[in-house]
Amino acid sequence: MEQRVVTLENMNPHVIKMEYAVRGPLVIRATAIEKELQAGAQKPFQTVTKANIGDAHAMGQKPITFIRQVVSICLMPSLLDDPSIPDDAKQRAREVLAGCKGGSIGSYSDSAGIEAIRRHVAQYIERRDGFPSSWENIVLCAGASEGIRGMMKMMIKHDNSIKPGVMIPIPQYPLYSATIAEFDLHQIGYYLNESTNWGLDMAELERAYNEAKAVCNPKALVVINPGNPTGNVLPRENIESVIKFAHERNLFLFADEVYQDNVYAEGCKFHSFKKVTSEMGPPYSEMELASFMSCSKGYMGECGLRGGYAEIVNLDPRVKAMYLKSISAKLCPTTLGQAVMECVVNPPQEGEPSYEQFQAEKKAVLDSLAGRAKMVVETFNSVPGMSCNIVQGAMYAFPQIKLPEKAIEAAKAAGQAPDVYYAFQLLENTGICIVPGTGFGQCPGTYHFRTTILPQPALLKTMLEKFREFHTKFVERYQ
Ligand SMILES: Cc1ncc(COP(=O)(O)O)c(C=O)c1O
């Protein structure tokens, strides 16, 4: 074959550098094992349990009926005549369709999304926070990922080869490290404190910032609250300190709040960055802030329909114009995802026919997740050599594992990081697919993994027992 035009040597090096562990080599192997099992291969297990990704429906969570009714009508307006679909679902769908060009969900929307839905998002934020929100600051996006990447793109400008720096938590959700690598930005990691339930320490933020200042131009600070993979929920006073820190150093704030509905632990409450900056008043309420929400998480779990929004406040109007121009080149986010977001921000109200069922379904999902969060933590903490912080929110646990020296040597001999080695052994022996801590970042010399809490309760129980057995045997083998 002739020399190809694009080769590994001449292609975009930033794409080579980027990594996304949540769908990395372990998942590729897990999928291969599934195929081997289907082809009749004999293994110590019959099925693969994918606890690697926050994809609730993939793990058996049922969709919320109201959301599916609205989306179904949007796709098939003749369902408006279906007597089994309640009137409020029909009404929402009519509103969405009225906002669609030509009255069809199949048409392009405005690049920032359907205006009526943007207005409902702003009203939702006002109800949530008790402060004004302008619909013109709302941009609908195909999942929060797209919104985050679109805004982060605005940060790229190297001054005399000094890169802009983006502060991200370690451990982090690898969308951030991947995007930073792809956009050739400088990653400034600040460690979350495992000994205080993954607390966000101001001294650590300061350390990370000061060290990075010598090599980059720190420009933005990302906070994930509730945390992925750490499951921590930030107290209000902590958020206030972070805001002051960002203000003093002139940093653009990225508030990743996709898990705002997923708070389980007693005494924990979600506080949005927008609310806290608003409560603090000027100059903090004048800071540039982008906050993100998604329909993939919460009680909805509609990951594949790709809906989300960004609320972006206090942008320089000239920058905002450029930002809107940049998203216009992608035409529009998926209109189905927008319809889902409409249901999230404008759910059935008391007195409407779908209200009770909607509330019951939402509560059932969130209660079950809270139960599973507890079950995961209690089990891991009962296994010698494992310790796990309370899962206060989100959908993950990030336990620490103590690995024997001989296991670390075996990993080295296999050319793998110790936690990667552990995760592969777990997969090959039990069919459980998790993501090693390396994919998220961790304090040097410590080893972790992330598991979701998403397998349904019976499966989760079995998975945790298998996990305990595997860990005990693994440690014994390398003692
Ligand atoms: C912290 C965080 N932010 C953003 C996302 C992106 O979600 P989506 O693009 O599906 O909205 C995820 C997905 O897991 C996440 O965990």
Side-chain angles (χ1 to χ4, degrees), residues 20 54 142-146 148 173 175-176 224 226 228 256 258-259 293-297 303 306-307 396 450:
Y20 186 68
S145 308
E146 187 188 71
I148 293 163
Y173 172 56
L175 165 72
Y176 290 99
I224 308 174
N228 174 8
D256 185 331
V258 298
Y259 296 102
M293 172 60 168
S294 167
C295 69
S296 304
K297 311 299 166 185
C303 300
R306 311 305 296 134
Y396 316 92
R450 186 190 80 170

Side-chain angles (χ1 to χ4, degrees), residues 72-83 85 90 97:
S72 300
I73 301 170
C74 287
L75 283 166
M76 183 67 87
S78 58
L79 290 173
L80 284 166
D81 299 327
D82 185 331
I85 299 181
K90 289 178 180 168
L97 290 172

Side-chain angles (χ1 to χ4, degrees), residues 383-386 401 422 467-475:
V383 180
M386 274 197 194
I401 38 176
Y422 177 90
F467 218 126
R468 178 203 300 282
E469 202 184 312
F470 166 81
H471 186 82
T472 312
K473 279 196 191 143
F474 181 89
V475 172

Side-chain angles (χ1 to χ4, degrees), residues 401-424:
I401 38 176
K402 294 267 178 277
L403 296 179
E405 210 41 55
K406 282 189 189 147
I408 295 172
E409 279 161 26
K412 257 192 209 136
Q416 287 174 333
D419 55 354
V420 175
Y421 182 73
Y422 177 90
F424 268 110

